[in-house]
PDB file of all heavy atoms in Angstrom:
ATOM      1  N   MET T   2      22.448  53.974 -99.075  1.00 98.00           N
ATOM      2  CA  MET T   2      22.191  53.858 -97.653  1.00 98.00           C
ATOM      3  C   MET T   2      23.039  52.716 -97.064  1.00 98.00           C
ATOM      4  O   MET T   2      23.170  51.678 -97.718  1.00 98.00           O
ATOM      5  CB  MET T   2      20.731  53.508 -97.365  1.00 98.00           C
ATOM      6  CG  MET T   2      19.732  54.595 -97.769  1.00 98.00           C
ATOM      7  SD  MET T   2      18.032  54.300 -97.265  1.00 98.00           S
ATOM      8  CE  MET T   2      17.575  52.967 -98.362  1.00 98.00           C
ATOM      9  N   SER T   3      23.569  52.960 -95.891  1.00 97.00           N
ATOM     10  CA  SER T   3      24.460  51.980 -95.244  1.00 97.00           C
ATOM     11  C   SER T   3      23.882  50.563 -95.211  1.00 97.00           C
ATOM     12  O   SER T   3      24.587  49.590 -95.469  1.00 97.00           O
ATOM     13  CB  SER T   3      24.806  52.416 -93.795  1.00 97.00           C
ATOM     14  OG  SER T   3      25.247  53.719 -93.728  1.00 97.00           O
ATOM     15  N   HIS T   4      22.604  50.487 -94.840  1.00 97.00           N
ATOM     16  CA  HIS T   4      21.965  49.174 -94.620  1.00 97.00           C
ATOM     17  C   HIS T   4      21.480  48.481 -95.920  1.00 97.00           C
ATOM     18  O   HIS T   4      21.080  47.341 -95.862  1.00 97.00           O
ATOM     19  CB  HIS T   4      20.799  49.345 -93.664  1.00 97.00           C
ATOM     20  CG  HIS T   4      19.588  49.927 -94.269  1.00 97.00           C
ATOM     21  ND1 HIS T   4      19.409  51.294 -94.421  1.00 97.00           N
ATOM     22  CD2 HIS T   4      18.481  49.353 -94.806  1.00 97.00           C
ATOM     23  CE1 HIS T   4      18.252  51.496 -94.995  1.00 97.00           C
ATOM     24  NE2 HIS T   4      17.653  50.359 -95.232  1.00 97.00           N
ATOM     25  N   MET T   5      21.582  49.203 -97.033  1.00 97.00           N
ATOM     26  CA  MET T   5      20.995  48.606 -98.258  1.00 97.00           C
ATOM     27  C   MET T   5      22.021  48.547 -99.371  1.00 97.00           C
ATOM     28  O   MET T   5      22.713  47.544 -99.573  1.00 97.00           O
ATOM     29  CB  MET T   5      19.779  49.442 -98.668  1.00 97.00           C
ATOM     30  CG  MET T   5      19.088  48.931 -99.897  1.00 97.00           C
ATOM     31  SD  MET T   5      18.206  47.365 -99.655  1.00 97.00           S
ATOM     32  CE  MET T   5      16.927  47.857 -98.505  1.00 97.00           C
ATOM     33  N   CYS T   6      22.170  49.636-100.110  1.00 97.00           N
ATOM     34  CA  CYS T   6      23.052  49.632-101.300  1.00 97.00           C
ATOM     35  C   CYS T   6      24.546  49.615-100.957  1.00 97.00           C
ATOM     36  O   CYS T   6      25.308  49.002-101.674  1.00 97.00           O
ATOM     37  CB  CYS T   6      22.675  50.801-102.177  1.00 97.00           C
ATOM     38  SG  CYS T   6      20.974  50.683-102.757  1.00 97.00           S
ATOM     39  N   ILE T   7      24.927  50.218 -99.870  1.00 98.00           N
ATOM     40  CA  ILE T   7      26.310  50.157 -99.425  1.00 98.00           C
ATOM     41  C   ILE T   7      26.658  48.735 -99.020  1.00 98.00           C
ATOM     42  O   ILE T   7      27.633  48.158 -99.476  1.00 98.00           O
ATOM     43  CB  ILE T   7      26.619  51.167 -98.280  1.00 98.00           C
ATOM     44  CG1 ILE T   7      26.390  52.611 -98.776  1.00 98.00           C
ATOM     45  CG2 ILE T   7      28.010  50.957 -97.726  1.00 98.00           C
ATOM     46  CD1 ILE T   7      27.263  53.057 -99.904  1.00 98.00           C
ATOM     47  N   ASP T   8      25.867  48.150 -98.152  1.00 98.00           N
ATOM     48  CA  ASP T   8      26.084  46.785 -97.705  1.00 98.00           C
ATOM     49  C   ASP T   8      26.138  45.814 -98.873  1.00 98.00           C
ATOM     50  O   ASP T   8      27.061  45.000 -98.946  1.00 98.00           O
ATOM     51  CB  ASP T   8      24.949  46.380 -96.738  1.00 98.00           C
ATOM     52  CG  ASP T   8      25.050  44.944 -96.277  1.00 98.00           C
ATOM     53  OD1 ASP T   8      25.991  44.610 -95.545  1.00 98.00           O
ATOM     54  OD2 ASP T   8      24.161  44.162 -96.689  1.00 98.00           O
ATOM     55  N   THR T   9      25.205  45.943 -99.793  1.00 98.00           N
ATOM     56  CA  THR T   9      25.154  45.044-100.939  1.00 98.00           C
ATOM     57  C   THR T   9      26.413  45.172-101.835  1.00 98.00           C
ATOM     58  O   THR T   9      26.962  44.153-102.232  1.00 98.00           O
ATOM     59  CB  THR T   9      23.867  45.331-101.770  1.00 98.00           C
ATOM     60  OG1 THR T   9      22.742  45.227-100.918  1.00 98.00           O
ATOM     61  CG2 THR T   9      23.732  44.361-102.900  1.00 98.00           C
ATOM     62  N   ALA T  10      26.826  46.389-102.072  1.00 98.00           N
ATOM     63  CA  ALA T  10      28.023  46.582-102.921  1.00 98.00           C
ATOM     64  C   ALA T  10      29.279  46.092-102.231  1.00 98.00           C
ATOM     65  O   ALA T  10      30.118  45.413-102.894  1.00 98.00           O
ATOM     66  CB  ALA T  10      28.167  48.082-103.236  1.00 98.00           C
ATOM     67  N   VAL T  11      29.428  46.369-100.963  1.00 98.00           N
ATOM     68  CA  VAL T  11      30.637  45.893-100.253  1.00 98.00           C
ATOM     69  C   VAL T  11      30.730  44.394-100.282  1.00 98.00           C
ATOM     70  O   VAL T  11      31.787  43.816-100.594  1.00 98.00           O
ATOM     71  CB  VAL T  11      30.635  46.435 -98.795  1.00 98.00           C
ATOM     72  CG1 VAL T  11      31.753  45.785 -97.985  1.00 98.00           C
ATOM     73  CG2 VAL T  11      30.849  47.978 -98.806  1.00 98.00           C
ATOM     74  N   ARG T  12      29.660  43.725 -99.982  1.00 98.00           N
ATOM     75  CA  ARG T  12      29.650  42.239 -99.985  1.00 98.00           C
ATOM     76  C   ARG T  12      29.921  41.702-101.369  1.00 98.00           C
ATOM     77  O   ARG T  12      30.654  40.714-101.522  1.00 98.00           O
ATOM     78  CB  ARG T  12      28.358  41.727 -99.393  1.00 98.00           C
ATOM     79  CG  ARG T  12      28.228  41.993 -97.884  1.00 98.00           C
ATOM     80  CD  ARG T  12      26.869  41.581 -97.355  1.00 98.00           C
ATOM     81  NE  ARG T  12      26.695  42.016 -95.992  1.00 98.00           N
ATOM     82  CZ  ARG T  12      27.039  41.316 -94.907  1.00 98.00           C
ATOM     83  NH1 ARG T  12      27.587  40.142 -95.037  1.00 98.00           N
ATOM     84  NH2 ARG T  12      26.854  41.801 -93.715  1.00 98.00           N
ATOM     85  N   ALA T  13      29.367  42.314-102.400  1.00 97.00           N
ATOM     86  CA  ALA T  13      29.552  41.831-103.771  1.00 97.00           C
ATOM     87  C   ALA T  13      30.999  41.972-104.208  1.00 97.00           C
ATOM     88  O   ALA T  13      31.480  41.144-105.007  1.00 97.00           O
ATOM     89  CB  ALA T  13      28.619  42.576-104.708  1.00 97.00           C
ATOM     90  N   CYS T  14      31.685  42.999-103.707  1.00 97.00           N
ATOM     91  CA  CYS T  14      33.108  43.174-104.087  1.00 97.00           C
ATOM     92  C   CYS T  14      33.908  41.946-103.748  1.00 97.00           C
ATOM     93  O   CYS T  14      34.839  41.594-104.517  1.00 97.00           O
ATOM     94  CB  CYS T  14      33.680  44.406-103.391  1.00 97.00           C
ATOM     95  SG  CYS T  14      33.139  45.941-104.155  1.00 97.00           S
ATOM     96  N   GLN T  15      33.610  41.282-102.670  1.00 95.00           N
ATOM     97  CA  GLN T  15      34.355  40.067-102.294  1.00 95.00           C
ATOM     98  C   GLN T  15      34.138  38.992-103.359  1.00 95.00           C
ATOM     99  O   GLN T  15      35.087  38.290-103.707  1.00 95.00           O
ATOM    100  CB  GLN T  15      33.907  39.556-100.931  1.00 95.00           C
ATOM    101  CG  GLN T  15      34.720  38.387-100.462  1.00 95.00           C
ATOM    102  CD  GLN T  15      34.288  37.927 -99.086  1.00 95.00           C
ATOM    103  OE1 GLN T  15      33.182  37.354 -98.932  1.00 95.00           O
ATOM    104  NE2 GLN T  15      35.098  38.175 -98.052  1.00 95.00           N
ATOM    105  N   ASP T  16      32.965  38.884-103.896  1.00 95.00           N
ATOM    106  CA  ASP T  16      32.673  37.878-104.936  1.00 95.00           C
ATOM    107  C   ASP T  16      33.524  38.117-106.174  1.00 95.00           C
ATOM    108  O   ASP T  16      33.858  37.157-106.891  1.00 95.00           O
ATOM    109  CB  ASP T  16      31.177  37.957-105.361  1.00 95.00           C
ATOM    110  CG  ASP T  16      30.235  37.552-104.240  1.00 95.00           C
ATOM    111  OD1 ASP T  16      30.647  36.857-103.319  1.00 95.00           O
ATOM    112  OD2 ASP T  16      29.061  37.947-104.343  1.00 95.00           O
ATOM    113  N   PHE T  17      33.891  39.365-106.438  1.00 96.00           N
ATOM    114  CA  PHE T  17      34.636  39.696-107.643  1.00 96.00           C
ATOM    115  C   PHE T  17      36.139  39.889-107.384  1.00 96.00           C
ATOM    116  O   PHE T  17      36.890  40.232-108.251  1.00 96.00           O
ATOM    117  CB  PHE T  17      34.069  40.956-108.330  1.00 96.00           C
ATOM    118  CG  PHE T  17      32.676  40.763-108.772  1.00 96.00           C
ATOM    119  CD1 PHE T  17      31.615  41.403-108.137  1.00 96.00           C
ATOM    120  CD2 PHE T  17      32.390  39.990-109.881  1.00 96.00           C
ATOM    121  CE1 PHE T  17      30.318  41.237-108.560  1.00 96.00           C
ATOM    122  CE2 PHE T  17      31.071  39.792-110.348  1.00 96.00           C
ATOM    123  CZ  PHE T  17      30.038  40.406-109.680  1.00 96.00           C
ATOM    124  N   GLY T  18      36.555  39.663-106.112  1.00 96.00           N
ATOM    125  CA  GLY T  18      37.983  39.733-105.780  1.00 96.00           C
ATOM    126  C   GLY T  18      38.539  41.101-105.532  1.00 96.00           C
ATOM    127  O   GLY T  18      39.783  41.294-105.532  1.00 96.00           O
ATOM    128  N   PHE T  19      37.699  42.077-105.227  1.00 98.00           N
ATOM    129  CA  PHE T  19      38.176  43.431-104.947  1.00 98.00           C
ATOM    130  C   PHE T  19      38.336  43.636-103.434  1.00 98.00           C
ATOM    131  O   PHE T  19      37.533  43.168-102.644  1.00 98.00           O
ATOM    132  CB  PHE T  19      37.213  44.495-105.459  1.00 98.00           C
ATOM    133  CG  PHE T  19      37.001  44.458-106.956  1.00 98.00           C
ATOM    134  CD1 PHE T  19      35.776  44.001-107.479  1.00 98.00           C
ATOM    135  CD2 PHE T  19      38.011  44.794-107.819  1.00 98.00           C
ATOM    136  CE1 PHE T  19      35.569  43.937-108.837  1.00 98.00           C
ATOM    137  CE2 PHE T  19      37.808  44.741-109.197  1.00 98.00           C
ATOM    138  CZ  PHE T  19      36.592  44.319-109.697  1.00 98.00           C
ATOM    139  N   ARG T  20      39.383  44.331-103.058  1.00 98.00           N
ATOM    140  CA  ARG T  20      39.578  44.746-101.660  1.00 98.00           C
ATOM    141  C   ARG T  20      38.829  46.063-101.481  1.00 98.00           C
ATOM    142  O   ARG T  20      38.848  46.939-102.340  1.00 98.00           O
ATOM    143  CB  ARG T  20      41.045  44.893-101.318  1.00 98.00           C
ATOM    144  CG  ARG T  20      41.808  43.560-101.263  1.00 98.00           C
ATOM    145  CD  ARG T  20      43.227  43.756-100.775  1.00 98.00           C
ATOM    146  NE  ARG T  20      43.982  44.591-101.729  1.00 98.00           N
ATOM    147  CZ  ARG T  20      44.715  44.107-102.749  1.00 98.00           C
ATOM    148  NH1 ARG T  20      44.803  42.820-102.938  1.00 98.00           N
ATOM    149  NH2 ARG T  20      45.386  44.931-103.550  1.00 98.00           N
ATOM    150  N   VAL T  21      38.217  46.225-100.277  1.00 98.00           N
ATOM    151  CA  VAL T  21      37.381  47.389-100.030  1.00 98.00           C
ATOM    152  C   VAL T  21      37.826  48.149 -98.782  1.00 98.00           C
ATOM    153  O   VAL T  21      38.063  47.545 -97.735  1.00 98.00           O
ATOM    154  CB  VAL T  21      35.892  46.980 -99.893  1.00 98.00           C
ATOM    155  CG1 VAL T  21      35.034  48.170 -99.448  1.00 98.00           C
ATOM    156  CG2 VAL T  21      35.391  46.382-101.160  1.00 98.00           C
ATOM    157  N   VAL T  22      37.863  49.457 -98.919  1.00 98.00           N
ATOM    158  CA  VAL T  22      37.902  50.374 -97.781  1.00 98.00           C
ATOM    159  C   VAL T  22      36.556  51.050 -97.770  1.00 98.00           C
ATOM    160  O   VAL T  22      36.139  51.611 -98.785  1.00 98.00           O
ATOM    161  CB  VAL T  22      39.034  51.411 -97.908  1.00 98.00           C
ATOM    162  CG1 VAL T  22      38.910  52.500 -96.848  1.00 98.00           C
ATOM    163  CG2 VAL T  22      40.411  50.741 -97.823  1.00 98.00           C
ATOM    164  N   LEU T  23      35.863  50.976 -96.653  1.00 98.00           N
ATOM    165  CA  LEU T  23      34.526  51.598 -96.491  1.00 98.00           C
ATOM    166  C   LEU T  23      34.648  52.765 -95.554  1.00 98.00           C
ATOM    167  O   LEU T  23      35.164  52.637 -94.438  1.00 98.00           O
ATOM    168  CB  LEU T  23      33.560  50.553 -95.948  1.00 98.00           C
ATOM    169  CG  LEU T  23      32.153  51.031 -95.699  1.00 98.00           C
ATOM    170  CD1 LEU T  23      31.476  51.614 -96.928  1.00 98.00           C
ATOM    171  CD2 LEU T  23      31.298  49.857 -95.126  1.00 98.00           C
ATOM    172  N   LEU T  24      34.220  53.916 -96.002  1.00 98.00           N
ATOM    173  CA  LEU T  24      34.303  55.168 -95.226  1.00 98.00           C
ATOM    174  C   LEU T  24      33.046  55.322 -94.369  1.00 98.00           C
ATOM    175  O   LEU T  24      32.024  55.774 -94.847  1.00 98.00           O
ATOM    176  CB  LEU T  24      34.521  56.335 -96.152  1.00 98.00           C
ATOM    177  CG  LEU T  24      35.749  56.286 -97.036  1.00 98.00           C
ATOM    178  CD1 LEU T  24      35.844  57.477 -97.947  1.00 98.00           C
ATOM    179  CD2 LEU T  24      37.019  56.150 -96.163  1.00 98.00           C
ATOM    180  N   ASP T  25      33.196  54.969 -93.103  1.00 98.00           N
ATOM    181  CA  ASP T  25      32.116  54.978 -92.124  1.00 98.00           C
ATOM    182  C   ASP T  25      31.373  56.309 -92.084  1.00 98.00           C
ATOM    183  O   ASP T  25      30.149  56.349 -92.089  1.00 98.00           O
ATOM    184  CB  ASP T  25      32.726  54.647 -90.752  1.00 98.00           C
ATOM    185  CG  ASP T  25      31.803  54.889 -89.613  1.00 98.00           C
ATOM    186  OD1 ASP T  25      30.999  54.025 -89.253  1.00 98.00           O
ATOM    187  OD2 ASP T  25      31.911  55.996 -89.018  1.00 98.00           O
ATOM    188  N   ASP T  26      32.110  57.390 -92.019  1.00 98.00           N
ATOM    189  CA  ASP T  26      31.505  58.715 -91.843  1.00 98.00           C
ATOM    190  C   ASP T  26      31.144  59.391 -93.181  1.00 98.00           C
ATOM    191  O   ASP T  26      30.740  60.560 -93.183  1.00 98.00           O
ATOM    192  CB  ASP T  26      32.366  59.639 -90.983  1.00 98.00           C
ATOM    193  CG  ASP T  26      33.767  59.780 -91.552  1.00 98.00           C
ATOM    194  OD1 ASP T  26      34.165  59.135 -92.524  1.00 98.00           O
ATOM    195  OD2 ASP T  26      34.534  60.602 -90.991  1.00 98.00           O
ATOM    196  N   ALA T  27      31.278  58.659 -94.267  1.00 98.00           N
ATOM    197  CA  ALA T  27      30.863  59.147 -95.575  1.00 98.00           C
ATOM    198  C   ALA T  27      29.722  58.287 -96.110  1.00 98.00           C
ATOM    199  O   ALA T  27      29.534  58.150 -97.326  1.00 98.00           O
ATOM    200  CB  ALA T  27      32.073  59.130 -96.554  1.00 98.00           C
ATOM    201  N   CYS T  28      28.965  57.725 -95.181  1.00 98.00           N
ATOM    202  CA  CYS T  28      27.753  56.938 -95.484  1.00 98.00           C
ATOM    203  C   CYS T  28      26.620  57.420 -94.587  1.00 98.00           C
ATOM    204  O   CYS T  28      26.864  57.954 -93.483  1.00 98.00           O
ATOM    205  CB  CYS T  28      28.004  55.452 -95.223  1.00 98.00           C
ATOM    206  SG  CYS T  28      29.245  54.699 -96.288  1.00 98.00           S
ATOM    207  N   ALA T  29      25.400  57.199 -95.043  1.00 98.00           N
ATOM    208  CA  ALA T  29      24.259  57.611 -94.230  1.00 98.00           C
ATOM    209  C   ALA T  29      23.141  56.525 -94.424  1.00 98.00           C
ATOM    210  O   ALA T  29      23.160  55.792 -95.400  1.00 98.00           O
ATOM    211  CB  ALA T  29      23.716  58.952 -94.660  1.00 98.00           C
ATOM    212  N   THR T  30      22.252  56.516 -93.433  1.00 98.00           N
ATOM    213  CA  THR T  30      21.102  55.612 -93.490  1.00 98.00           C
ATOM    214  C   THR T  30      19.936  56.229 -92.803  1.00 98.00           C
ATOM    215  O   THR T  30      19.913  57.467 -92.532  1.00 98.00           O
ATOM    216  CB  THR T  30      21.504  54.224 -92.913  1.00 98.00           C
ATOM    217  OG1 THR T  30      20.510  53.273 -93.349  1.00 98.00           O
ATOM    218  CG2 THR T  30      21.658  54.208 -91.440  1.00 98.00           C
ATOM    219  N   LYS T  31      18.935  55.450 -92.448  1.00 97.00           N
ATOM    220  CA  LYS T  31      17.742  56.007 -91.769  1.00 97.00           C
ATOM    221  C   LYS T  31      17.256  55.012 -90.716  1.00 97.00           C
ATOM    222  O   LYS T  31      17.723  53.895 -90.629  1.00 97.00           O
ATOM    223  CB  LYS T  31      16.650  56.266 -92.801  1.00 97.00           C
ATOM    224  CG  LYS T  31      16.141  55.033 -93.532  1.00 97.00           C
ATOM    225  CD  LYS T  31      15.070  55.470 -94.531  1.00 97.00           C
ATOM    226  CE  LYS T  31      14.577  54.314 -95.324  1.00 97.00           C
ATOM    227  NZ  LYS T  31      13.525  54.688 -96.259  1.00 97.00           N
ATOM    228  N   ASP T  32      16.276  55.471 -89.935  1.00 98.00           N
ATOM    229  CA  ASP T  32      15.663  54.575 -88.970  1.00 98.00           C
ATOM    230  C   ASP T  32      14.970  53.445 -89.710  1.00 98.00           C
ATOM    231  O   ASP T  32      14.437  53.641 -90.817  1.00 98.00           O
ATOM    232  CB  ASP T  32      14.553  55.319 -88.173  1.00 98.00           C
ATOM    233  CG  ASP T  32      15.058  56.433 -87.269  1.00 98.00           C
ATOM    234  OD1 ASP T  32      16.282  56.536 -87.067  1.00 98.00           O
ATOM    235  OD2 ASP T  32      14.225  57.210 -86.774  1.00 98.00           O
ATOM    236  N   LEU T  33      14.997  52.280 -89.109  1.00 97.00           N
ATOM    237  CA  LEU T  33      14.286  51.127 -89.665  1.00 97.00           C
ATOM    238  C   LEU T  33      13.307  50.615 -88.613  1.00 97.00           C
ATOM    239  O   LEU T  33      13.476  50.863 -87.429  1.00 97.00           O
ATOM    240  CB  LEU T  33      15.271  49.996 -90.007  1.00 97.00           C
ATOM    241  CG  LEU T  33      16.285  50.266 -91.108  1.00 97.00           C
ATOM    242  CD1 LEU T  33      17.193  49.095 -91.320  1.00 97.00           C
ATOM    243  CD2 LEU T  33      15.579  50.658 -92.415  1.00 97.00           C
ATOM    244  N   THR T  34      12.303  49.884 -89.069  1.00 97.00           N
ATOM    245  CA  THR T  34      11.335  49.301 -88.172  1.00 97.00           C
ATOM    246  C   THR T  34      11.384  47.801 -88.335  1.00 97.00           C
ATOM    247  O   THR T  34      11.373  47.268 -89.447  1.00 97.00           O
ATOM    248  CB  THR T  34       9.926  49.821 -88.485  1.00 97.00           C
ATOM    249  OG1 THR T  34       9.919  51.234 -88.381  1.00 97.00           O
ATOM    250  CG2 THR T  34       8.909  49.260 -87.515  1.00 97.00           C
ATOM    251  N   TYR T  35      11.443  47.120 -87.188  1.00 97.00           N
ATOM    252  CA  TYR T  35      11.423  45.647 -87.163  1.00 97.00           C
ATOM    253  C   TYR T  35      10.594  45.183 -85.953  1.00 97.00           C
ATOM    254  O   TYR T  35      10.823  45.659 -84.844  1.00 97.00           O
ATOM    255  CB  TYR T  35      12.822  45.102 -87.091  1.00 97.00           C
ATOM    256  CG  TYR T  35      12.909  43.584 -87.073  1.00 97.00           C
ATOM    257  CD1 TYR T  35      12.613  42.866 -88.217  1.00 97.00           C
ATOM    258  CD2 TYR T  35      13.265  42.880 -85.938  1.00 97.00           C
ATOM    259  CE1 TYR T  35      12.656  41.470 -88.227  1.00 97.00           C
ATOM    260  CE2 TYR T  35      13.310  41.514 -85.905  1.00 97.00           C
ATOM    261  CZ  TYR T  35      13.008  40.804 -87.081  1.00 97.00           C
ATOM    262  OH  TYR T  35      13.027  39.443 -87.077  1.00 97.00           O
ATOM    263  N   ASN T  36       9.620  44.298 -86.169  1.00 97.00           N
ATOM    264  CA  ASN T  36       8.715  43.832 -85.108  1.00 97.00           C
ATOM    265  C   ASN T  36       8.098  44.992 -84.343  1.00 97.00           C
ATOM    266  O   ASN T  36       8.089  45.011 -83.128  1.00 97.00           O
ATOM    267  CB  ASN T  36       9.461  42.909 -84.149  1.00 97.00           C
ATOM    268  CG  ASN T  36       9.689  41.534 -84.735  1.00 97.00           C
ATOM    269  OD1 ASN T  36       9.011  41.134 -85.666  1.00 97.00           O
ATOM    270  ND2 ASN T  36      10.688  40.839 -84.194  1.00 97.00           N
ATOM    271  N   ASP T  37       7.639  45.988 -85.089  1.00 97.00           N
ATOM    272  CA  ASP T  37       7.001  47.176 -84.510  1.00 97.00           C
ATOM    273  C   ASP T  37       7.943  47.998 -83.621  1.00 97.00           C
ATOM    274  O   ASP T  37       7.484  48.818 -82.842  1.00 97.00           O
ATOM    275  CB  ASP T  37       5.729  46.799 -83.742  1.00 97.00           C
ATOM    276  CG  ASP T  37       4.697  46.211 -84.649  1.00 97.00           C
ATOM    277  OD1 ASP T  37       4.538  46.670 -85.800  1.00 97.00           O
ATOM    278  OD2 ASP T  37       3.985  45.262 -84.191  1.00 97.00           O
ATOM    279  N   GLU T  38       9.217  47.798 -83.735  1.00 97.00           N
ATOM    280  CA  GLU T  38      10.199  48.568 -82.973  1.00 97.00           C
ATOM    281  C   GLU T  38      11.023  49.410 -83.925  1.00 97.00           C
ATOM    282  O   GLU T  38      11.482  48.937 -84.963  1.00 97.00           O
ATOM    283  CB  GLU T  38      11.108  47.625 -82.179  1.00 97.00           C
ATOM    284  CG  GLU T  38      12.184  48.331 -81.373  1.00 97.00           C
ATOM    285  CD  GLU T  38      13.113  47.383 -80.665  1.00 97.00           C
ATOM    286  OE1 GLU T  38      12.855  46.179 -80.630  1.00 97.00           O
ATOM    287  OE2 GLU T  38      14.155  47.868 -80.207  1.00 97.00           O
ATOM    288  N   ILE T  39      11.194  50.669 -83.567  1.00 98.00           N
ATOM    289  CA  ILE T  39      12.033  51.560 -84.399  1.00 98.00           C
ATOM    290  C   ILE T  39      13.465  51.386 -83.970  1.00 98.00           C
ATOM    291  O   ILE T  39      13.839  51.525 -82.789  1.00 98.00           O
ATOM    292  CB  ILE T  39      11.572  53.032 -84.245  1.00 98.00           C
ATOM    293  CG1 ILE T  39      10.161  53.208 -84.798  1.00 98.00           C
ATOM    294  CG2 ILE T  39      12.573  53.972 -84.955  1.00 98.00           C
ATOM    295  CD1 ILE T  39       9.557  54.553 -84.574  1.00 98.00           C
TER     296      ILE T  39
END
């Protein structure tokens, strides 16, 4: 999911010195709830 495992992997790549291309339209996520707002 874009907001979880994709985000985590992309950020970790910087720690290991890898350059990243992230394919926006080849990722998916879902609605989230925060402070009772969807």
Side-chain angles (χ1 to χ4, degrees):
M2 294 187 290
S3 308
H4 76 277
M5 182 69 66
C6 298
I7 297 299
D8 176 67
T9 304
V11 169
R12 290 174 189 270
C14 283
Q15 186 179 70
D16 296 338
F17 297 108
F19 300 110
R20 289 185 298 267
V21 174
V22 169
L23 178 57
L24 301 177
D25 167 87
D26 56 353
C28 295
T30 196
K31 62 182 178 178
D32 295 348
L33 296 179
T34 303
Y35 181 70
N36 285 338
D37 297 322
E38 179 183 348
I39 295 174

